[in-house]
Amino acid sequence: MDTENDSMNRDIGAEAFEKVDKIPEQDEEVTTTSFSDAWLKNVDPRVGQKSKIEKKDEAKVENESSAGVYTLLDLIYWRDVKKTGVVFGSMLFVLLSLSCFSVLSVLAYLSLAVLTVTLSFRIYKNVLQAVQKSGEGHPFKHFLEMNIDLPEDKARDAVVDILKHLNCTFRELRRLFLVEDLVDSIKFGLLLWVLTYVGSWFNGMTLIILAVVAIFTLPKVYETYKVQIDNYVDLARTQKDNVWKQVQEKVPFLKKKEKKQ
């Protein structure tokens, strides 16, 4: 019996000793792995930095796009009166010129005016440098060295967005012209009928001028008189809903059919 007990105790002790020996080996492996990763990061900074660089690029793109949106909104809402006045006045002047003259004439006269200004300024600076004997260099050096190339990634994204909008528009027009929904097609027909009268009153250039004026005036007016405009819009929407309900009651086929899931 004593011999059996001694052998059992030896086996249990050997197993416990093996388990105790295995734990430090795992710790050594983990420590060695973490140490090697840290050493690689110290030797090659690119290790472990790819995700950070990608995040920085994505954040940069988002910041640039948001900055462009904010700049456009600042122009529309007249945050900087001088800058918005210059942009709005220039666009209005060009559009009014196009309504009176041909596109070729407007482009030629505008280009000639810009060339006259730059050429006169260049001659003036050359004479001034000759009199003062200074070597300031080309007066438009900063603009000549400026990068004006369109970035390929932004151009590609713009083309993709335009294609998405075009595809959505074509699908919607197909749905309306082929009378997938009777009510929507009737509404579309009424809109086209109204546009025939609008087209008889205004030409395309006049509509573009009115659209530009509306873009630079209506948002600011709404921002200033938001409460009063919202009240009147709610009243108009309520009246429209009441009239449409009465029309649907008298003409049942105008009610939209629920689509089967």
Side-chain angles (χ1 to χ4, degrees):
M1 293 293 292
D2 293 336
T3 305
E4 292 179 357
N5 290 332
D6 291 339
S7 61
M8 290 176 64
N9 290 332
R10 288 175 184 173
D11 295 337
I12 294 172
E15 292 177 357
F17 183 74
E18 289 178 357
K19 290 180 180 179
V20 172
D21 286 344
K22 289 180 180 178
I23 294 173
E25 290 178 358
Q26 295 176 355
D27 294 338
E28 288 178 0
E29 290 178 358
V30 173
T31 305
T32 305
T33 305
S34 60
F35 177 76
S36 62
D37 293 339
W39 179 79
L40 285 174
K41 289 180 180 180
N42 291 328
V43 174
D44 190 356
R46 295 173 296 178
V47 178
Q49 297 294 327
K50 185 176 180 181
S51 59
K52 293 182 180 179
I53 295 173
E54 291 177 352
K55 290 179 180 178
K56 288 182 180 179
D57 293 338
E58 292 176 358
K60 185 177 179 181
V61 172
E62 291 178 358
N63 291 332
E64 289 178 354
S65 59
S66 61
V69 173
Y70 288 138
T71 303
L72 181 60
L73 292 177
D74 290 341
L75 288 174
I76 292 175
Y77 284 98
W78 295 78
R79 300 289 185 251
D80 190 344
V81 179
K82 292 182 179 179
K83 187 182 294 184
T84 304
V86 171
V87 174
F88 179 53
S90 301
M91 293 179 65
L92 199 59
F93 174 75
V94 172
L95 291 174
L96 289 174
S97 301
L98 290 173
S99 63
C100 298
F101 305 99
S102 64
V103 177
L104 185 60
S105 298
V106 173
L107 289 177
Y109 278 115
L110 288 177
S111 301
L112 186 61
V114 173
L115 182 60
T116 302
V117 172
T118 55
L119 187 61
S120 301
F121 186 74
R122 174 67 191 278
I123 294 173
Y124 167 74
K125 293 296 290 185
N126 286 345
V127 173
L128 190 63
Q129 291 176 13
V131 172
Q132 296 179 352
K133 296 181 180 180
S134 60
E136 296 180 359
H138 200 286
F140 300 113
K141 182 178 179 181
H142 174 70
F143 298 101
L144 290 172
E145 294 178 351
M146 185 183 297
N147 185 15
I148 59 174
D149 295 337
L150 292 176
E152 294 182 1
D153 52 349
K154 291 185 178 180
R156 192 181 300 110
D157 294 339
V159 171
V160 171
D161 292 336
I162 292 172
L163 287 176
K164 286 182 180 178
H165 290 297
L166 286 176
N167 291 330
C168 292
T169 303
F170 290 149
R171 285 194 294 267
E172 186 66 18
L173 290 175
R174 181 185 62 181
R175 188 181 71 85
L176 293 172
F177 279 110
L178 298 181
V179 198
E180 181 180 356
D181 187 278
L182 182 62
V183 177
D184 290 341
S185 296
I186 292 175
K187 290 180 181 178
F188 183 60
L190 292 175
L191 177 62
L192 295 176
W193 178 68
V194 172
L195 289 178
T196 58
Y197 286 95
V198 175
S200 64
W201 297 336
F202 309 102
N203 57 18
M205 187 56 63
T206 305
L207 292 176
I208 294 174
I209 294 172
L210 292 176
V212 171
V213 173
I215 289 172
F216 280 92
T217 54
L218 293 182
K220 186 62 179 179
V221 173
Y222 177 74
E223 186 183 38
T224 306
Y225 303 100
K226 182 178 180 180
V227 177
Q228 295 88 335
I229 293 174
D230 287 342
N231 292 331
Y232 286 115
V233 169
D234 291 336
L235 290 174
R237 186 181 293 112
T238 303
Q239 292 295 330
K240 186 263 294 181
D241 292 338
N242 293 332
V243 171
W244 184 247
K245 287 180 181 178
Q246 293 176 3
V247 172
Q248 285 182 334
E249 290 176 357
K250 294 180 180 180
V251 187
F253 71 88
L254 290 179
K255 294 183 180 180
K256 281 189 175 183
K257 296 181 179 180
E258 295 182 356
K259 295 181 179 181
K260 296 181 179 181
Q261 295 181 354

